[in-house]
Amino acid sequence: FVKLRLLEAGREVSAERWRNVLGDDFRPAPRTSAWLRRFGHTEAAIRWIQPGGAKFAQWFQRASLTQRRTRRVPEDYATVQMAVWAANAGDRVLVAPGTYNEAVEVTKDVIIEPSSGRATIQSVEVSYGVRDEPTVFLVNLDVYCPAFIRDRPACKVEGARLVMVDCHVRSASVSGVVAEDDWAQLRLIRCLLHDCGESGVFVRGAKCALDDCRFLRNKASGLSAHGRAEASARGCHFLDNKENGVHASNATVTLRHCVANGNERRSTFVQHGGRVDVDK
């Protein structure tokens, strides 16, 4: 194998490890070392999307072959939306700590994260682009949609892939994170979803994976899965939600090493052929 060098945290990633992560979908491309050096989140991507499969391999190669740039807000662009519009596939949008009262729409592969500390964005909507489904990373962000904005989730995914890492989410009027089509994919790692007007996460027909997340005091369920959705949660806590910890209606939910306490109705609730598999 060609050795793939990664200059992040002094680590090296070999092609053999990439093959273990992505399976047979990964093929080392020409000039692999050069484009890997331009993509600074490689090691994190291995941890966050495992296994990645063909779509992640294609996204990774497409994002890395571009001239990856860092777009800074507000130094280079006045708003987060302007930075996203200007970004190419694989670019990073670094936002200074602060509050951005913006409804950001993303249709391309980008990483949005604060330059230091944390930053607050009003809402983020990720949808399919002109060519194909984008993959968007949100890292260390507070996504809070206030009560006066009705019927808008903090994060919405349509025909795209969204990865959220160490984010705090609250939508005062509806669910915090919503994915409502068969092509949407959602991955949350170490996120807090609290005090939402409905469920913390609502998925219909989408695929969803949750790791080490907390669902607190949401006015409906912590996780609500419907319409042939496939969801899995590992190491998550569903606490003090007004209805159920997990609700599955004509959907499949797999729970591993999760905790559900203090929910006013039930820890898990199934209807219309739904199923919740619990592995303690």
Side-chain angles (χ1 to χ4, degrees):
F1 292 109
V2 177
K3 188 85 175 219
L4 310 184
R5 297 186 60 84
L6 173 68
L7 304 180
E8 178 179 335
R11 299 185 180 185
E12 295 182 353
V13 179
S14 67
E16 182 177 1
R17 182 177 178 194
W18 271 108
R19 185 175 295 281
N20 291 337
V21 172
L22 298 178
D24 293 334
D25 299 314
F26 175 69
R27 297 289 185 274
R31 300 176 62 189
T32 299
S33 296
W35 57 257
L36 268 182
R37 280 195 292 269
R38 289 200 295 267
F39 192 82
H41 279 68
T42 306
E43 180 69 21
I46 290 179
R47 297 197 306 270
W48 294 342
I49 306 182
Q50 185 174 356
K55 289 187 176 180
F56 175 69
Q58 294 166 7
W59 167 79
F60 181 82
Q61 183 170 0
R62 183 171 70 251
S64 303
L65 286 172
T66 62
Q67 294 295 323
R68 180 174 172 271
R69 292 181 54 187
T70 297
R71 318 274 179 167
R72 298 182 180 274
V73 180
E75 292 90 340
D76 302 329
Y77 302 90
T79 66
V80 179
Q81 185 65 77
M82 292 176 64
V84 170
W85 283 337
N88 296 316
D91 282 1
R92 295 171 67 197
V93 175
L94 288 185
V95 298
T99 300
Y100 300 85
N101 294 319
E102 303 181 46
V104 180
E105 298 180 0
V106 186
T107 59
K108 61 185 74 172
D109 304 327
V110 294
I111 302 166
I112 304 176
E113 60 181 321
S115 55
S116 62
R118 301 189 71 85
T120 300
I121 298 177
Q122 189 177 94
S123 67
V124 177
E125 180 173 346
V126 181
S127 58
Y128 54 87
V130 176
R131 295 183 179 178
D132 50 12
E133 307 93 340
T135 300
V136 176
F137 285 80
L138 303 181
V139 184
N140 286 333
L141 293 176
D142 298 333
V143 190
Y144 288 166
C145 192
F148 66 85
I149 301 179
R150 305 296 299 175
D151 302 325
R152 180 189 295 172
C155 294
K156 185 176 182 180
V157 189
E158 292 183 345
R161 296 176 290 276
L162 175 62
V163 181
M164 303 180 69
V165 183
D166 292 319
C167 291
H168 296 175
V169 178
R170 176 168 59 86
S171 177
S173 63
V174 292
S175 298
V177 180
V178 174
E180 289 193 277
D181 65 76
D182 295 345
W183 296 275
Q185 298 180 38
L186 184 64
R187 184 75 187 271
L188 274 62
I189 299 98
R190 297 187 302 275
C191 292
L192 170 64
L193 301 101
H194 67 98
D195 299 296
C196 294
E198 294 179 2
S199 298
V201 170
F202 181 95
V203 291
R204 186 189 303 275
K207 292 180 173 59
C208 172
L210 312 169
D211 292 285
D212 299 314
C213 296
R214 290 177 294 164
F215 299 80
L216 306 178
R217 302 183 302 275
N218 298 292
K219 293 183 179 179
S221 300
L223 168 63
S224 189
H226 302 258
R228 302 182 305 280
E230 298 177 10
S232 65
R234 181 178 61 183
C236 295
H237 290 69
F238 303 90
L239 306 175
D240 302 323
N241 297 288
K242 292 295 184 181
E243 294 185 3
N244 310 291
V246 176
H247 177 197
S249 176
N250 190 26
T252 302
V253 179
T254 303
L255 304 178
R256 292 184 175 88
H257 310 296
C258 294
V259 176
N261 286 326
N263 302 289
E264 292 191 7
R265 293 188 180 178
R266 302 179 183 179
S267 296
T268 61
F269 175 67
V270 297
Q271 63 179 162
H272 304 309
R275 189 179 73 202
V276 176
D277 298 326
V278 180
D279 180 8
K280 297 181 179 180

